[in-house]
Amino acid sequence: MHLFYQPDSISQLTEDDSRHAVKTLRLGAGDSIAVTNGRGTRFDAQITKADARQCAFRILDEQYTPARPFSVRICVAPTKNIDRIEWFVEKAVELGIERISFFFGQHSERRVLKLERLEKIAIAAMKQSLQSWMPQLDEALPLEKLLPTITEGQRFIAHLPADAPPEHLFSKATINGSYTVLIGPEGDFAPAELSAAQQAGFAPVTLGSNRLRTETAALAACQILNLKNTEL
Amino acid sequence: MHLFYQPDSISQLTEDDSRHAVKTLRLGAGDSIAVTNGRGTRFDAQITKADARQCAFRILDEQYTPARPFSVRICVAPTKNIDRIEWFVEKAVELGIERISFFFGQHSERRVLKLERLEKIAIAAMKQSLQSWMPQLDEALPLEKLLPTITEGQRFIAHLPADAPPEHLFSKATINGSYTVLIGPEGDFAPAELSAAQQAGFAPVTLGSNRLRTETAALAACQILNLKNTEL
């Protein structure tokens, strides 16, 4: 069954998806499709007009999947090699994530981030893993502008200090929380950024003893929080 | 500090590494380097002869890191898009893994796998994450030839059956084990393969409720077993 993401319409596909459905997949009137609105509802539908510019469908049934009882937001500094962040977005969506925010730190090597391609990757991953919730992706901000906007929930900053390692994210987090985890750039956080984050309520945590790349650490945080909220 | 991997010599770098050290990094006699043998020992060394074909070094000090008290072996079917398996190897090495084996299943789309490039990726990841243990990578085998070679330790097969989901890997595994986890190809295991694995002592487990890509599932298994063995 082909799954389409249509956040705004319950009667026709976007132009891109219409072309994909009609030209690439060669779907015709009467064919079945599935459509998600990215807000938990998945519709079983039938194509009524196979127009490559404006493919119309009719909803036959719908199924609602509630949001997870916890939410994970990762704030990550874009990597110099953009493939690594693209890879993180794909994997984080597969595992389930509610929100991804990007920031530029003092040691960030990359200063520009285009959200459009990342959104496409997130949509593809949501569809591939048969999910009905589309995560929110935020435009990149300087860290000092991002921090004051995050004032609620359980806030963590992943950091491997030279001296005593902080508590592990798995034991520090409590279940069913609304979590935000800050993951540093490849050059790590600057000391002033670390103190600013701690003043803003972000508790230092470790994700394990190995030195991980930015995108690996970001994904590890997602999975640790998922596991924390899994009935085992 | 530049880290080199020299499994066989404690006095000179390989030709590739010699060229890299002398031509690319422009290291000269007297410069400090670090060398790991991939079996737990890391040497502090000093270059004695900066020859781009045969760079010699002298060991000043050594430090041994014991192996982890548990071991993780993932057996995974190569993905059609080789990038995905390359990515998995990099990330699994970063997180710490002892052995990666590849197999071809009935539903595998890829039937050829070159180990050389994957070995290079594993070495780079080991160095990048400052580890002293080089994981073993095995040539790909048909699943029916691989299964009879694995007769010890805790054996699991990750599978999402249509009916009742099996126990989660995190709760099924016991700590300090020698674990082997089978991860299916993109087209999943064939029913006959599932029964063969179960007869060979592989217990079905789930890695969570989401449908994951092959390489995502393989990495999730690594992290679940790491976390199982972390003092929290």
Side-chain angles (χ1 to χ4, degrees):
Chain A
M1 176 74 77
H2 299 289
L3 177 62
F4 295 90
Y5 169 54
Q6 296 296 324
D8 303 318
S9 168
I10 53 165
S11 64
Q12 59 188 41
L13 300 180
T14 58
E15 194 170 335
D16 276 0
D17 274 1
S18 295
R19 194 173 49 245
H20 182 65
V22 176
K23 295 282 185 190
T24 313
L25 302 174
R26 300 192 171 278
L27 298 176
D31 282 342
S32 296
I33 57 171
V35 176
T36 176
N37 64 3
R39 294 183 299 277
T41 301
R42 182 189 154 115
F43 303 99
D44 292 329
Q46 191 177 43
I47 291 179
T48 49
K49 196 179 68 165
D51 182 323
R53 287 193 195 168
Q54 203 178 76
C55 179
F57 60 83
R58 184 164 57 97
I59 289 171
L60 304 175
D61 199 1
E62 67 179 77
Q63 196 181 359
Y64 181 73
T65 307
R68 307 195 294 183
F70 62 99
S71 77
V72 176
R73 176 181 184 182
I74 300 287
C75 303
V76 64
T79 48
K80 186 176 174 191
N81 175 349
I82 196 68
D83 289 356
R84 296 184 172 277
I85 275 299
E86 292 181 358
W87 165 83
F88 163 68
V89 168
E90 177 182 299
K91 297 309 171 203
V93 174
E94 272 183 67
L95 291 174
I97 190 168
E98 279 66 28
R99 189 168 180 182
I100 304 175
S101 308
F102 301 98
F103 68 87
F104 301 122
Q106 288 180 32
H107 297 168
S108 287
E109 292 202 56
R110 171 177 287 277
R111 295 279 163 188
V112 178
L113 185 76
K114 289 186 184 156
L115 220 52
E116 199 185 350
R117 188 172 150 80
L118 295 175
E119 298 246 352
K120 283 188 181 164
I121 288 168
I123 292 168
M126 173 188 66
K127 295 197 288 192
Q128 208 277 336
S129 54
L130 305 180
Q131 295 181 83
S132 301
W133 287 89
M134 174 67 188
Q136 178 177 340
L137 269 63
D138 300 324
E139 290 285 355
L141 287 177
L143 183 59
E144 68 269 23
K145 294 208 172 159
L146 177 64
L147 283 180
T149 68
I150 307 172
T151 55
E152 293 187 341
Q154 299 179 40
R155 283 155 282 165
F156 306 104
I157 179 166
H159 181 53
L160 268 183
D163 47 353
E167 199 175 340
H168 197 288
L169 174 59
F170 188 88
S171 52
K172 189 104 177 163
T174 61
I175 64 165
N176 286 350
S178 168
Y179 315 103
T180 303
V181 186
L182 280 185
I183 305 286
E186 282 149 326
D188 206 350
F189 292 106
E193 293 176 328
L194 277 173
S195 1
Q198 292 191 45
Q199 279 183 359
F202 286 80
V205 288
T206 176
L207 308 173
S209 52
N210 282 10
R211 186 176 83 158
L212 303 177
R213 282 183 182 274
T214 294
E215 75 280 7
T216 319
L219 193 72
C222 296
Q223 201 171 12
I224 290 166
L225 292 170
N226 283 357
L227 214 52
K228 181 76 193 189
N229 287 280
T230 301
E231 280 188 46
L232 295 168
Chain B
M1 177 74 75
H2 299 288
L3 178 62
F4 294 90
Y5 170 54
Q6 296 297 323
D8 302 317
S9 168
I10 53 166
S11 64
Q12 60 188 41
L13 299 180
T14 59
E15 195 170 335
D16 277 1
D17 275 1
S18 294
R19 195 173 46 244
H20 182 66
V22 176
K23 297 280 186 192
T24 313
L25 303 175
R26 300 192 172 275
L27 298 177
D31 282 343
S32 296
I33 58 172
V35 176
T36 175
N37 64 3
R39 295 183 299 278
T41 302
R42 180 190 156 115
F43 304 99
D44 291 330
Q46 191 178 41
I47 292 180
T48 50
K49 195 179 69 167
D51 181 325
R53 287 193 191 165
Q54 202 179 74
C55 179
F57 59 84
R58 185 164 55 98
I59 289 171
L60 303 177
D61 199 1
E62 66 178 77
Q63 197 182 359
Y64 181 73
T65 307
R68 308 196 293 185
F70 61 100
S71 78
V72 176
R73 176 181 182 181
I74 300 287
C75 303
V76 62
T79 47
K80 187 176 172 190
N81 175 350
I82 196 68
D83 289 356
R84 296 184 172 277
I85 275 298
E86 292 181 357
W87 167 83
F88 162 68
V89 168
E90 176 181 299
K91 296 309 171 204
V93 174
E94 271 183 68
L95 290 173
I97 191 169
E98 278 67 27
R99 189 168 178 181
I100 304 175
S101 309
F102 301 99
F103 68 87
F104 302 122
Q106 288 179 31
H107 297 169
S108 287
E109 292 202 56
R110 170 178 287 275
R111 294 280 164 188
V112 178
L113 185 75
K114 288 185 186 156
L115 220 51
E116 199 185 350
R117 191 172 147 79
L118 295 175
E119 298 245 351
K120 283 188 181 165
I121 289 168
I123 291 169
M126 173 188 65
K127 295 196 289 191
Q128 209 278 334
S129 54
L130 304 180
Q131 296 180 85
S132 301
W133 286 90
M134 173 68 189
Q136 177 177 342
L137 270 63
D138 300 323
E139 290 285 354
L141 287 177
L143 183 60
E144 69 268 23
K145 295 208 171 160
L146 177 64
L147 283 180
T149 67
I150 308 172
T151 55
E152 294 187 340
Q154 299 180 40
R155 283 155 282 167
F156 305 104
I157 179 166
H159 180 55
L160 267 184
D163 47 355
E167 201 175 337
H168 198 288
L169 174 59
F170 188 88
S171 52
K172 188 104 178 164
T174 60
I175 65 165
N176 286 352
S178 167
Y179 315 104
T180 303
V181 187
L182 280 183
I183 305 287
E186 281 149 326
D188 207 350
F189 291 106
E193 293 175 326
L194 277 174
S195 1
Q198 291 190 46
Q199 279 182 0
F202 286 79
V205 288
T206 176
L207 307 173
S209 53
N210 281 10
R211 186 175 83 155
L212 303 178
R213 284 183 182 274
T214 295
E215 74 280 7
T216 320
L219 193 73
C222 296
Q223 200 169 16
I224 289 166
L225 292 171
N226 283 358
L227 213 51
K228 181 76 194 189
N229 288 279
T230 301
E231 278 187 47
L232 296 166

